[in-house]
Amino acid sequence: MKRGIDMEDMSISKRNTLITQIKNGETERIDKGTEYDVPDYIGDISKVLFYNSSLNITNEYKNDGLCKFEGDVVFSVMLQSEDESINCVNIVNGFSGEIGFESSADVKLDYVIENDSVKAVNKRKLSCKCTVAVHSALNNIVNSEIDVKNNSEDASLQVLSGDIKTLKEHFGVEDEIECRYNIELDSNYPEIGRIIFCDVKPCVTDIRAGVDSVNIRGVNNITVLFSDVNGEIYSYRKKDELNETVNCIGCASDMGCRCNVHVKEIDAISQTNSFGEEKNIELVYKSQISAVAAENIYANACSDAFSPKYDISIEKANINSSVYSDMLFGNFTFSQSKPYGGENAECEAVYYDSKAKITSFGQNDNKKVIIEGLAIFNVLLKSNGRIEAQREEFPFKYETNIESDKELEPFVSVGVISENVRFDNDKISYEAEISINGYFTETENHEIVTTVNFNEEKTRNNDYLTLYYPDGESLWDIAKANGVASEKILIANDCDEKTLIERNVIIIPSNF
């Protein structure tokens, strides 16, 4: 707490101080499962090549200590039929739930898919299952107040104020942006027969707060899988710049920021070029972008109090406040190899994608931050003329240079900037450049006055009292500086020496 030196006259009433405390709340897990009959245009299922699952949150409603939420789990599934044709289907399964929280708190929800799976039940039916974990973080507003206890109408109180550093978060207006991207295939690609699958994965690499706004930069990784007129499969990969600004009232520079970018409603249409060939693709997708900026502000709290007329006793309490600690921007390269086939195997990765997720966060003995997670690769291989699919998960560990002597709370996200799958003799190599960004908070402890009790039977002679604001001096130093015996100072303040030197303001009695 910062020490103040200005005394404020205060009538006998309560004083409120609002302090932010961010703390972990509850985690609600929702098991979802659905069965899906493949449409008639798709042949009998031979195998599930690979799948991705994503979340689309459609509604959050908060009221009276209860947060209700609704959304969809979207499974994108690539199938191979018995006639060896490949198709992709999107399966949507709705979910809803609720989480209770303290009514004085602002709750933020994070949604994560756990343990997803897609299997063929028979030749015409798929079974899709997953667990949606909904985790709440409480931005708790603590109402700290001074309880003043007395019965005298003419009593007054002087309060020594201090500043408590605490966190304030500015929430951006969620924007939905429609993007159009035109792809012109060059001579290395054949004419398009059919578009099988398209995907856009955003990755945020930089977040910066400006005046009333947050700027988000990164890349959109675009992939389109298509077949030519003969049924051969090809993929097109491209990076598109991500550069969007979200309105966020109250923002200033040098704030901690975090954001969420979610792509939905992707569609790709093949078109003819100027030569009449089906070699152009129009990709249309919508992005939902939201942002939060965090800054430290100072809340005024009571650090000490004095009554000019009556003796008083003071009760204090320790209180914690959450404060913004540091930003984190980090990129690192992940690489892992595994044996595949043999020296004579002819392999080609006709399609691949990857994603990263954080599994744990902690600090080592030196208080350095360690983030652990998984890099997940889906690969569609053409091996000896046949299509195969692989799904690999590799653990990674990232250690930052941020150091703190306090426990940190993370608000971080992870994404893939670029990815590659290649063959080297009898090995398959998986590579990804992974981005981690966000900010950390830490907890500060403060001692504040909570209760003031008046002793109306013991009054002071104001003509012979002065106030002194110590600055680390000993009792002997204070007594010498004011020409008053140490014992008299202890009697006037009704405390021992240890308590006295910890106070922000003390009473100096007259020496007469």
Side-chain angles (χ1 to χ4, degrees):
M1 179 182 290
K2 288 186 175 182
R3 177 176 297 173
I5 61 172
D6 293 330
M7 299 293 290
E8 300 177 20
D9 287 324
M10 178 179 176
S11 59
I12 307 307
S13 61
K14 293 184 178 182
R15 166 172 296 197
N16 297 329
T17 299
L18 300 182
I19 302 168
T20 302
Q21 291 180 328
I22 295 180
K23 57 184 180 180
N24 289 328
E26 300 178 1
T27 298
E28 177 77 12
R29 285 182 167 83
I30 304 167
D31 294 324
K32 295 299 298 180
T34 186
E35 291 191 342
Y36 174 81
D37 295 320
V38 298
D40 294 338
Y41 69 85
I42 296 178
D44 289 348
I45 301 171
S46 172
K47 66 176 74 172
V48 175
L49 294 174
F50 72 81
Y51 59 88
N52 282 321
S53 57
S54 60
L55 290 171
N56 180 24
I57 308 305
T58 57
N59 188 34
E60 280 186 5
Y61 177 75
K62 306 169 189 176
N63 188 30
D64 294 333
L66 191 65
C67 183
K68 298 183 179 181
F69 50 86
E70 297 176 349
D72 296 320
V73 181
V74 182
F75 294 90
S76 296
V77 187
M78 191 171 293
L79 304 170
Q80 186 174 38
S81 302
E82 291 183 344
D83 61 3
E84 297 192 353
S85 64
I86 295 176
N87 294 275
C88 183
V89 294
N90 290 323
I91 303 165
V92 180
N93 191 10
F95 69 92
S96 62
E98 60 185 37
I99 286 182
F101 62 95
E102 298 175 36
S103 59
S104 63
D106 181 17
V107 63
K108 303 174 186 62
L109 300 184
D110 292 319
Y111 304 84
V112 179
I113 293 178
E114 299 178 343
N115 306 320
D116 57 341
S117 67
V118 176
K119 296 180 180 179
V121 177
N122 55 45
K123 293 183 178 182
R124 304 299 305 170
K125 191 183 295 289
L126 295 173
S127 173
C128 304
K129 296 180 180 180
C130 75
T131 299
V132 180
V134 186
H135 177 69
S136 63
L138 300 181
N139 197 356
N140 197 34
I141 305 300
V142 179
N143 188 9
S144 173
E145 59 186 19
I146 307 172
D147 188 7
V148 182
K149 298 180 178 179
N150 86 304
N151 297 315
S152 176
E153 294 182 357
D154 63 345
S156 63
L157 184 69
Q158 291 179 307
V159 174
L160 184 69
S161 297
D163 289 331
I164 293 178
K165 187 164 64 172
T166 188
L167 185 71
K168 181 178 181 180
E169 293 187 316
H170 303 270
F171 296 90
V173 178
E174 187 171 273
D175 289 340
E176 183 173 281
I177 301 169
E178 183 174 286
C179 304
R180 292 181 178 270
Y181 191 80
N182 293 315
I183 300 171
E184 296 182 3
L185 301 180
D186 58 29
S187 58
N188 294 322
Y189 289 93
E191 192 169 358
I192 299 171
R194 179 170 60 94
I195 294 176
I196 300 172
F197 174 74
C198 56
D199 189 27
V200 178
K201 294 196 302 295
C203 178
V204 177
T205 58
D206 191 30
I207 315 172
R208 288 289 182 267
V211 178
D212 292 339
S213 66
V214 173
N215 181 247
I216 301 165
R217 296 190 180 189
V219 295
N220 285 317
N221 291 295
I222 298 171
T223 307
V224 180
L225 187 69
F226 64 93
S227 64
D228 64 11
V229 293
N230 298 316
E232 288 290 318
I233 296 176
Y234 297 84
S235 63
Y236 174 86
R237 308 175 66 83
K238 181 72 176 179
K239 290 184 183 300
D240 192 20
E241 180 186 24
L242 173 63
N243 187 351
E244 301 293 345
T245 298
V246 177
N247 293 328
C248 196
I249 304 301
C251 274
S253 58
D254 300 324
M255 287 186 172
C257 301
R258 58 190 170 96
C259 73
N260 179 54
V261 182
H262 170 68
V263 174
K264 64 175 188 177
E265 297 183 23
I266 308 172
D267 192 22
I269 303 172
S270 63
Q271 296 178 333
T272 58
N273 59 18
S274 57
F275 299 100
E277 300 173 314
E278 290 279 341
K279 295 192 68 173
N280 285 359
I281 301 172
E282 183 182 45
L283 184 68
V284 181
Y285 60 94
K286 291 182 179 180
S287 294
Q288 283 184 326
I289 302 177
S290 60
V292 177
E295 69 168 333
N296 289 324
I297 62 173
Y298 287 96
N300 189 260
C302 178
S303 58
D304 217 331
F306 169 71
S307 172
K309 183 174 182 180
Y310 295 110
D311 243 6
I312 61 172
S313 62
I314 296 173
E315 297 176 17
K316 293 188 176 183
N318 288 316
I319 193 167
N320 292 329
S321 67
S322 296
V323 300
Y324 161 61
S325 175
D326 207 339
M327 282 290 292
L328 168 64
F329 287 106
N331 298 343
F332 67 97
T333 301
F334 170 86
S335 181
Q336 184 76 42
S337 296
K338 292 189 69 174
Y340 180 82
E343 293 185 0
N344 297 322
E346 295 182 2
C347 299
E348 177 188 358
V350 295
Y351 173 83
Y352 53 86
D353 69 24
S354 65
K355 63 180 179 180
K357 67 178 183 179
I358 296 173
T359 57
S360 68
F361 172 93
Q363 292 165 270
N364 61 15
D365 294 339
N366 297 322
K367 295 297 184 180
K368 285 192 173 182
V369 174
I370 297 175
I371 297 173
E372 295 183 342
L374 290 174
I376 304 169
F377 289 82
N378 286 314
V379 185
L380 201 62
L381 304 173
K382 184 186 292 185
S383 178
N384 296 323
R386 297 185 62 83
I387 296 295
E388 299 180 11
Q390 284 192 344
R391 180 183 175 93
E392 300 286 354
E393 296 187 0
F394 303 104
F396 67 79
K397 180 185 289 187
Y398 178 72
E399 184 173 319
T400 77
N401 293 323
I402 297 175
E403 298 184 18
S404 173
D405 59 355
K406 301 177 182 178
E407 293 295 324
L408 298 177
E409 185 74 18
F411 293 89
V412 297
S413 60
V414 62
V416 176
I417 300 174
S418 62
E419 61 206 354
N420 189 33
V421 176
R422 58 184 176 84
F423 293 92
D424 185 11
N425 295 326
D426 58 346
K427 292 182 179 180
I428 180 171
S429 296
Y430 304 86
E431 300 172 350
E433 184 181 3
I434 296 175
S435 170
I436 296 178
N437 65 78
Y439 66 84
F440 303 108
T441 66
E442 60 186 31
T443 300
E444 290 191 351
N445 182 265
H446 309 277
E447 188 180 52
I448 64 173
V449 176
T450 57
T451 306
V452 177
N453 295 286
F454 280 75
N455 182 1
E456 298 180 25
E457 296 178 357
K458 187 174 181 181
T459 60
R460 301 184 186 279
N461 185 342
N462 294 344
D463 295 333
Y464 302 102
L465 295 175
T466 58
L467 300 179
Y468 184 77
Y469 307 98
D471 191 17
E473 303 103 312
S474 67
L475 173 59
W476 187 87
D477 292 332
I478 296 171
K480 182 180 178 182
N482 291 274
V484 179
S486 300
E487 293 77 9
K488 284 191 174 184
I489 295 177
L490 293 176
I491 292 171
N493 288 275
D494 192 23
C495 66
D496 58 21
E497 181 176 352
K498 182 178 183 299
T499 303
L500 181 82
I501 62 178
E502 291 178 349
R503 287 186 173 177
N504 290 321
V505 61
I506 62 177
I507 300 167
I508 305 297
S510 170
N511 206 16
F512 296 100

